[in-house]
């Protein structure tokens, strides 16, 4: 695999307008958010998901330092993962053809994950001019969120969200710019490994894009998604001219990896 375009120094990230100073549903601290989350009616999936959606939407418009935003998102992230799993199990993984209600549930799952991804991407945008531990964590969380968004699109046999590939490639450009490929990040949401490097987080997205998962059965897609984080370390992201290169990636486009043999790379720039 390889990039077919050169790295630019911008992150390509964008963020919603920050227009509020405090959260309306709790005090704007990680401790108070954790207490609010503990009191949510988790047995009521509909209300639980509605409250989480409201919190994520409000947080996306909050004026906050990267450190505070990261603390808040880290509290919300496992809750979002839990409710999406419950919604998928109840409504999305029982049929290939989704009815109107299941489509609404699929849209809700996408929106929850999208708002979470956007929050971490916003942190990366705020920190993109300075290499830091917070930047590393924000990039890994963004890439893993994009991996989950892609996997859910395949599981529901839906179109991949517009911009997903561009955002993933932009995170890799940021990784490459600061030489962060080998930075390890612990992640409790990973199922088969406890941590991953930033290059492995990006490779997970690429591998899923190469797998033609939209042509697979749901059960096989689930197994693939669970195992890919453990396989990502076997991937080499290298020059497009290397003889072992099978897939090529155009980092400035919103496109998945493509077979190198099918691309016209004559006269390309690096």
């Amino acid at each position: 695999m390889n990039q077919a375009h050169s790295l630019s120094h911008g992150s390509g990230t964008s963020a919603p307008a920050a227009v509020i100073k405090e959260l309306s549903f709790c005090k704007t601290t990680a401790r108070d958010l954790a207490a609010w989350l503990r009191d949510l009616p988790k047995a009521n999936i509909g209300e639980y998901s509605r409250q989480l959606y409201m919190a994520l939407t409000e947080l996306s418009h909050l004026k906050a330092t990267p450190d505070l935003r990261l603390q808040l998102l880290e509290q919300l992230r496992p809750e979002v993962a839990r409710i999406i799993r419950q919604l998928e199990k109840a409504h999305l993984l029982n049929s290939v053809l989704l009815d109107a209600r299941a489509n609404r549930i699929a849209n809700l799952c996408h929106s929850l994950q999208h708002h979470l991804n956007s929050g971490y991407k916003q942190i990366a945008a705020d920190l993109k001019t300075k290499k830091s531990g917070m930047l590393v964590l924000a990039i890994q969380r963004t890439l893993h969120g994009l991996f989950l968004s892609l996997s859910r699109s395949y599981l529901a046999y839906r179109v991949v969200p517009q911009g997903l590939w561009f955002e993933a490639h932009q995170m890799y450009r940021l990784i490459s710019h600061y030489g962060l490929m080998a930075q390890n990040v612990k992640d409790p949401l990973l199922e088969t490994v406890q941590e991953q490097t930033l290059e492995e987080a990006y490779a997970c997205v690429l591998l899923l894009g190469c797998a033609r998962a939209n042509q697979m059965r749901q059960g096989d897609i689930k197994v693939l998604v669970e195992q890919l984080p453990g396989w990502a370390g076997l991937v080499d992201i290298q020059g497009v001219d290397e003889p072992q290169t099978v897939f090529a990636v155009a980092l400035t486009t919103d496109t998945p990896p493509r077979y190198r043999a099918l691309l016209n790379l004559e006269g390309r720039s690096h």
Side-chain angles (χ1 to χ4, degrees), residues 2 19 24 48 64 67 74 84 87 98 106 111 114 139 146 153 165 173 175-176 179 189:
N2 184 40
V19 294
S24 65
Y48 183 26
D67 180 52
E74 287 291 280
I84 289 178
L87 289 168
L98 303 182
S111 294
H114 173 73
I139 292 173
L146 294 171
S153 296
W165 285 108
R173 294 170 77 186
I175 294 168
S176 298
L189 295 190

Side-chain angles (χ1 to χ4, degrees), residues 62-116:
L62 178 70
K63 293 180 180 179
T65 64
D67 180 52
L68 175 59
R69 190 178 304 281
L70 185 61
Q71 291 180 48
L72 297 173
L73 287 171
E74 287 291 280
Q75 294 288 345
L76 286 162
R77 186 171 183 252
E79 303 298 327
V80 170
R82 178 184 298 141
I83 191 62
I84 289 178
R85 282 196 301 268
Q86 292 176 352
L87 289 168
E88 286 179 334
K89 184 177 180 180
H91 301 285
L92 301 182
L93 300 182
N94 303 318
S95 174
V96 173
L97 297 176
L98 303 182
D99 59 20
R101 185 165 186 265
N103 266 305
R104 288 195 297 272
I105 297 296
N107 289 336
L108 173 60
C109 290
H110 167 71
S111 294
L112 288 167
Q113 188 69 60
H114 173 73
H115 280 299
L116 189 68

Side-chain angles (χ1 to χ4, degrees), residues 161-213:
Q162 185 175 2
L164 184 147
W165 285 108
F166 181 74
E167 291 179 7
H169 300 331
Q170 289 292 66
M171 288 297 108
Y172 184 70
R173 294 170 77 186
L174 198 53
I175 294 168
S176 298
H177 178 55
Y178 284 115
L180 298 172
M181 286 79 74
Q183 288 287 319
N184 259 310
V185 179
K186 293 185 181 297
D187 188 345
L189 295 190
L190 296 172
E191 298 188 59
T192 56
V193 295
Q194 294 182 333
E195 60 184 19
Q196 63 182 180
T197 67
L198 294 189
E199 185 169 82
E200 289 168 353
Y202 179 59
C204 278
V205 188
L206 297 182
L207 286 170
L208 188 55
C210 295
R212 296 185 180 179

